[in-house]
Amino acid sequence: MGTQIEDFRRTIIAGCLCFFTAIHFAIGQTVDTDIVYFTEITAELGFDDTPEPWPDGTYATHEVIGGGIALFDYDNDGDLDLLQIRFPPPGQIDTPAPNRLFQQQPDGIFLDVTAAAGLGDPGYGQGVAIGDVDNDGDLDVYVTNFGPDAFYRNNGDGTFVNGTKHAGFSNDRWGTSAAFVDYDRDGDLDLYVVNYVQFDPATVCRGKHSAQDYCNPQVFENTLDVLYRNNGDGTFTDVTAHAGITSPGRGLGIVCVDLTADGWVDFYVANDGEANQLWVNNRDGTFTDEAILRGVAFNTYGQPEGSMGVTVGDINGDKKLDLFTTHLTGETNTLYISSEYTIFTDATEVSGFVGSDLPFTGFGCGFFDFDHDSDLDLALVNGRVKRSQVVDGANVGTFWNAYAEPNLLFQNDGTGHFTGVNSRASTFAKRVEVSRGLAFGDIDRDGDLDLAIANLNGVRVFRNDAPPHGTHWLLVRAVTGKRDAIGAQVTVIAAGRKFIGLVLPGYSYLSSNDPRVHFGLGKIEVIEAIEVVWPDGARERFKVSSVDREWVVRQGEGESQ
């Protein structure tokens, strides 16, 4: 009965928010709207920008969860390639829907090389994690599925081999997000896999007017996540129980980052409709959930929310990491600001989001400095999980129109206050679709971050045209051994200021992002130094000077701090 009441409550809220939906484009918009921040280049890059209509849903919950997307350089040629995680059409769960790998060509066009690369996993795809697990200099791929997950080892010649069994991966629950990270500081990448619910296909749920609709996750039993430790020999061991990660959840999002400022990586899990978890690293291979203690389990009213996507960054320039999670219609997306003693405060109501995002259901998200003014802005993609009034402009078929929503773009004023700038975002915010995965990366190699979206049945790519002429930028690739130093913190020192960034491909929702750390610098033309806190705790300083370029910094080649 409690679940039915909650569903009814959400339905009432969604109905009351129709007015807000109609006017959301006017909320927080700047007057000058002649500058286009993002330009869709989906067809330009060789992707299909008019995919076939997606079949009507059958109300099986996995149909509406969506799939992720990854931007990564799988062939080590210096540009980003794209992996689309796919799943079968509704009602065709046994129909193979292989993931698709697109290789970027020298002219910027993307070609489907799935068959040649051997990366077309046929499972019911959900999320993806990218990382070099064997420290050989090329990127390996872990795919979460609704069903058994899969791991593909990069052969270094443009091909992959399925190494799931050999590596010791055995997760056969409903995997969602996953992330590689060196949590034990032993020099190789471990893996955290988020699991969702124990799905029962016989369950039938009702929504508005008692019509059948997708189930609230609370009707299904929750389940445990999985932590795998890298043994250093190409195999992994399930250490979940030993690590103390024994509280089940209904997880959808993950970031693996030091949120307690002690130099050791923690795990923050975004759970759907229940308390989020912050697994704090005890530095001995075990973890303790301190989400409630540190203020990131619930919203400011002590209520759990339908958390999906999650991102992290210093949004107010205080050198502390803040958190953002996306939520359901009727729940504002939540911004947690880090304060003294790494306790977080829900600052959503003073951040500028309230009103703009209330009508929508958010999924993929990310902090990034799209306009190069040296503060972190925000992009997020939307799409309902409950049927509601059709938004003007929806054109994804009669069934899915009731779930389609526009995406959102917010600009930071430098203090952590955000303003909606959808009118400048072109079709990124004007298209009304069902979007899920969102990945960030410098696709066209011009120094700013572009966007790639995974919709239910296709991919969209948007070029960043926002940075004004004369503003500057920096990309930093931090390397330990032969691989990206996932988990490192990078600080750029310039003009008497410090700008903090993270080597963190695993954020957003079901997706993996460009591992290079991007900094917008505004009018700053000279860099004093780059400081890196490496995953093993070592600190180094690198002397650099020029801007508007990529710097590669390697552990062991800087000045020890």
Side-chain angles (χ1 to χ4, degrees):
M1 177 63 71
T3 298
Q4 293 175 336
I5 292 174
E6 177 64 14
D7 285 346
F8 179 73
R9 185 186 72 85
R10 294 192 190 282
T11 300
I12 294 298
I13 292 174
C16 294
L17 289 172
C18 290
F19 172 73
F20 291 104
T21 304
I23 67 168
H24 95 277
F25 285 112
I27 296 177
Q29 300 304 323
T30 51
V31 175
D32 181 8
T33 59
D34 60 339
I35 300 173
V36 176
Y37 285 159
F38 285 89
T39 302
E40 183 169 358
I41 54 173
T42 306
E44 229 176 276
L45 298 187
F47 299 102
D48 184 3
D49 66 343
T50 55
E52 292 294 321
W54 199 236
D56 291 355
T58 65
Y59 303 109
T61 304
H62 46 76
E63 297 172 354
V64 80
I65 291 299
I69 193 166
L71 290 172
F72 71 122
D73 183 8
Y74 86 92
D75 52 5
N76 280 333
D77 65 352
D79 54 37
L80 293 175
D81 309 297
L82 187 149
L83 178 64
Q84 177 193 6
I85 305 302
R86 300 174 67 232
F87 45 89
Q92 303 175 42
I93 192 171
D94 295 325
T95 300
N99 301 324
R100 300 181 71 186
L101 176 64
F102 297 89
Q103 182 187 49
Q104 186 173 175
Q105 306 301 300
D107 61 1
I109 301 299
F110 284 74
L111 295 182
D112 188 338
V113 295
T114 308
L119 202 55
D121 185 70
Y124 197 106
Q126 297 287 261
V128 58
I130 305 291
D132 179 4
V133 305
D134 46 11
N135 295 333
D136 64 352
D138 48 48
L139 293 171
D140 309 301
V141 178
Y142 186 93
V143 178
T144 63
N145 288 316
F146 174 66
D149 295 346
F151 170 68
Y152 290 85
R153 193 178 300 278
N154 194 326
N155 295 320
D157 60 1
T159 67
F160 293 80
V161 62
N162 189 323
T164 312
K165 184 176 181 180
H166 176 266
F169 293 124
S170 57
N171 186 53
D172 60 358
R173 303 183 183 112
W174 183 349
T176 52
S177 291
F180 286 110
V181 63
D182 183 7
Y183 77 86
D184 52 5
R185 289 184 166 190
D186 65 352
D188 49 38
L189 293 176
D190 312 296
L191 178 69
Y192 192 105
V193 180
V194 178
N195 288 312
Y196 193 35
V197 297
Q198 301 177 48
F199 178 67
D200 179 2
T203 303
V204 176
C205 298
R206 302 287 174 181
K208 192 174 182 179
H209 304 307
S210 297
Q212 189 173 358
D213 208 342
Y214 291 101
C215 290
N216 186 305
Q218 271 64 44
V219 306
F220 305 114
E221 292 294 321
N222 53 17
T223 189
L224 289 172
D225 297 338
V226 182
L227 177 63
Y228 292 101
R229 180 175 57 80
N230 193 329
N231 299 319
D233 60 0
T235 66
F236 289 75
T237 298
D238 182 342
V239 295
T240 312
H242 172 76
I245 301 176
T246 55
S247 298
R250 296 177 177 88
L252 288 175
I254 179 74
V255 288
C256 303
V257 65
D258 177 16
L259 290 173
T260 56
D262 65 353
W264 291 73
V265 169
D266 311 303
F267 307 138
Y268 183 71
V269 181
N271 285 316
D272 190 359
E274 60 186 280
N276 299 321
Q277 295 161 322
L278 173 56
W279 294 106
V280 172
N281 196 326
N282 296 323
R283 311 183 215 178
D284 59 1
T286 67
F287 294 80
T288 302
D289 183 8
E290 297 185 4
I292 295 176
L293 174 66
R294 295 184 183 269
V296 292
F298 310 112
N299 65 15
T300 193
Y301 303 105
Q303 296 296 317
E305 297 176 293
S307 303
M308 272 83 77
V310 58
T311 188
V312 61
D314 175 14
I315 59 99
N316 53 9
D318 65 355
K319 318 304 181 294
K320 299 182 181 69
L321 296 177
D322 310 302
L323 282 168
F324 179 89
T325 56
T326 57
H327 297 132
L328 293 170
T329 297
E331 300 174 344
T332 59
N333 299 317
T334 302
L335 176 64
Y336 298 102
I337 299 293
S338 182
S339 56
E340 293 300 320
Y341 310 108
T342 59
I343 302 299
F344 291 78
T345 302
D346 182 347
T348 308
E349 293 188 0
V350 296
S351 65
F353 296 120
V354 177
S356 294
D357 60 6
L358 194 61
F360 307 115
T361 296
F363 281 88
C365 62
F367 289 131
F368 71 133
D369 185 2
F370 73 77
D371 52 4
H372 287 178
D373 65 352
S374 75
D375 55 45
L376 294 177
D377 310 298
L378 176 75
L380 62 97
V381 297
N382 297 310
R384 298 170 185 149
V385 293
K386 292 287 186 182
R387 183 172 47 246
S388 190
Q389 180 176 329
V390 175
V391 177
D392 288 346
N395 187 27
V396 288
T398 302
F399 181 91
W400 292 108
N401 280 345
Y403 299 88
E405 294 178 331
N407 304 320
L408 300 174
L409 181 68
F410 293 93
Q411 195 167 34
N412 189 347
D413 68 358
T415 69
H417 187 274
F418 293 81
T419 299
V421 289
N422 300 317
S423 61
R424 295 188 180 190
S426 188
T427 55
F428 174 78
K430 290 180 180 177
R431 288 190 183 276
V432 182
E433 298 180 322
V434 184
S435 300
R436 294 295 184 253
L438 174 63
F440 300 75
D442 183 10
I443 296 173
D444 54 5
R445 294 159 292 188
D446 66 350
D448 53 37
L449 296 184
D450 310 299
L451 304 174
I453 298 176
N455 291 328
L456 284 185
N457 62 332
V459 169
R460 294 200 182 278
V461 182
F462 297 85
R463 184 185 66 226
N464 187 346
D465 295 325
H469 179 72
T471 54
H472 301 287
W473 55 272
L474 203 68
L475 279 170
V476 179
R477 186 183 180 201
V479 177
T480 180
K482 294 183 178 180
R483 64 172 177 81
D484 294 300
I486 293 176
Q489 180 171 294
V490 178
T491 300
V492 169
I493 303 173
R497 299 176 60 188
K498 291 186 177 182
F499 306 92
I500 294 176
L502 301 168
V503 182
L504 187 71
Y507 63 91
S508 188
Y509 174 76
L510 306 180
S511 299
S512 187
N513 306 273
D514 188 344
R516 296 172 297 178
V517 189
H518 172 266
F519 297 90
L521 299 173
K523 297 296 184 179
I524 296 174
E525 297 181 341
V526 178
I527 302 298
E528 298 170 25
I530 295 173
E531 293 182 346
V532 181
V533 180
W534 298 100
D536 64 1
R539 296 172 178 264
E540 288 184 306
R541 183 182 178 99
F542 297 83
K543 294 181 179 179
V544 301
S545 55
S546 57
V547 298
D548 299 337
R549 58 163 290 180
E550 177 182 340
W551 285 94
V552 179
V553 295
R554 301 182 183 278
Q555 186 169 12
E557 297 182 358
E559 299 176 358
S560 297
Q561 299 293 295

